[in-house]
Amino acid sequence: MIAVRNGSRARARLVALGAHVPERVVTNAEIETWVDTTDEWITTRTGIRERRFVAEDEAASDLGVVAAERILDEAGMAAADVDVLIVPTASPDHIFPSTAALVADRIGAHKAAAFDLNAGCTGFVYALAQACALIESGIGRNVLVVGAEALSRLMDPTDRSTCILFGDAAAGALLVAEEADAQGVTGFLGFELGADGSGGHDLVVPAGGSRQPLGAVDAPGDACIQMNGREVFRFATRVMVDSCTRMLEAVEMGIDEVDLLIAHQANSRIIDHAVPKLGIDPERVLNNLDRYGNTSSASIPLVLTEARDDGRLEPGHLMLLVAFGAGLTWGSTLVRYEPA
Ligand code: ACO
């Protein structure tokens, strides 16, 4: 892409959604055969009943390609018209090249700038902020965000505290430029984003980077997700409420004005804890953890795509999106779903 700053007064509009999950279903009953756990423990402590895993020959980009094509189909846009492709992911195909560059090539987005964004499970919300900023500064007009995750590849199947939680999926959204004075278009009302690296060790894949290269792995588990579940749980319950509250206060809105709350799908108990504190009607809170588990950067757009398909998400709905994850990071945004 090429961009010339021209005093743009564009506004970013979220016009399309799409998702793809791999075929293999892994039930709690199957996990009972790997580690000392039970379906009852997993269901009551997390809300998860099953999740999807990639096949041996699949990686994050393979899921991302299908999701990206579905989003563009829904919008009726050719891949060649995408200016920027952002892939938020915590499980990229490689350290480099970026998964985004691989997806851009395979869908035919040959004009697009493409990059990955790693903010753990907050990746989708961070990427929306990037996409919104690129559009509203006049740098790009059509920005595709596709969270693509194959976390099962980074999972230790002998660690019962993590192997029950994660699943694989890709999902995302297309944002396009709309003239600032377009009637009836709201776009994004704002973002609340943060990071606290002092908690980085609470959710980490220790090896595979420059701190501990793969060739120097001390223990096999070091190449896998390691998590201090209780600390992450405490952090998540706190920031989910705080971030949503700060977001609403910043735009002087009440929770009653929000049509749907969509939280990162990590654990139903985290969401259940936040709902009464935020004072939102549980009917307006989306949850599909039971079928997909924690799909990190894909989780919010995966729920949104389902909600669009079953009619719970309607054009014009104001959505409060909130996520938290490795980093530790968190973020929320208020945005209207405004298909073309
Ligand atoms: N099956 C049975 N027992 C288990 C299992 C299991 N799968 N896992 C842990 N236990 C045991 C523990 O060993 C412990 O036993 P003990 O009391 O004898 O020591 C007991 O259950 C309670 O363990 P806790 O860790 O306190 O369990 P908790 O209720 O906190 O649930 C969980 C654990 C589900 C991991 C929870 O802490 C959680 O969801 N944390 C947040 C995780 C999260 O959101 N991570 C993703 C962030 S997003 C990202 O960026 C990737």
Side-chain angles (χ1 to χ4, degrees), residues 68-69 72 77-83 104 106-112 144:
E69 287 173 342
L72 291 173
M77 181 177 289
D81 292 330
V82 174
D83 296 315
R106 283 174 55 194
I107 65 173
H110 298 305
K111 198 183 74 177
L144 184 56

Side-chain angles (χ1 to χ4, degrees), residues 4-70:
V4 177
R5 300 285 318 274
N6 58 359
S8 163
R9 292 182 58 245
R11 184 182 293 166
R13 169 177 177 171
L14 193 158
V15 292
L17 295 159
H20 173 63
V21 293
E23 266 178 42
R24 184 177 168 213
V25 177
V26 176
T27 61
N28 290 348
E30 179 173 343
I31 294 184
E32 284 177 359
T33 67
W34 309 344
V35 288
D36 180 16
T37 191
T38 60
D39 171 43
E40 202 258 336
W41 193 96
I42 302 171
T43 308
T44 53
R45 297 293 185 112
T46 70
I48 302 166
R49 294 184 184 279
E50 60 186 42
R51 68 290 288 145
R52 303 295 183 101
F53 278 12
V54 287
E56 285 292 313
D57 59 352
E58 268 180 323
S61 67
D62 300 311
L63 305 181
V65 164
V66 181
E69 287 173 342
R70 288 183 178 167

Side-chain angles (χ1 to χ4, degrees), residues 54-244:
V54 287
E56 285 292 313
D57 59 352
E58 268 180 323
S61 67
D62 300 311
L63 305 181
V65 164
V66 181
E69 287 173 342
R70 288 183 178 167
I71 300 164
L72 291 173
D73 273 356
E74 192 206 334
M77 181 177 289
D81 292 330
V82 174
D83 296 315
V84 184
L85 170 62
I86 308 174
V87 173
T89 180
S91 49
D93 289 25
H94 313 282
I95 286 188
F96 59 82
S98 71
T99 302
L102 302 176
V103 172
D105 176 56
R106 283 174 55 194
I107 65 173
H110 298 305
K111 198 183 74 177
F115 63 95
D116 289 1
L117 187 155
N118 183 350
C121 299
T122 317
F124 183 68
V125 175
Y126 266 60
L128 289 180
Q130 280 285 308
C132 179
L134 286 163
I135 289 172
E136 299 195 353
S137 61
I139 290 175
R141 289 192 68 81
N142 302 323
V143 183
L144 184 56
V145 175
V146 185
E149 301 282 11
L151 287 162
S152 64
R153 294 290 206 202
L154 300 176
M155 202 191 69
D156 178 354
T158 66
D159 176 1
R160 70 176 181 175
S161 68
T162 55
C163 75
I164 58 167
L165 292 175
F166 298 102
D168 303 335
L174 178 70
L175 276 57
V176 302
E178 185 71 57
E179 293 322 307
D181 51 7
Q183 291 294 312
V185 175
T186 310
F188 288 81
L189 301 187
F191 291 89
E192 200 280 329
L193 306 171
D196 176 7
S198 71
H201 55 274
D202 285 327
L203 186 48
V204 60
V205 178
S210 57
R211 177 71 57 196
Q212 191 185 340
L214 272 185
V217 169
D218 294 334
D222 281 1
C224 299
I225 299 166
Q226 297 181 1
M227 182 178 70
N228 180 346
R230 282 179 207 181
E231 271 312 310
V232 176
F233 192 91
R234 262 196 288 273
F235 160 78
T237 46
R238 176 171 54 81
V239 295
M240 186 175 156
V241 176
D242 288 355
S243 182
C244 289

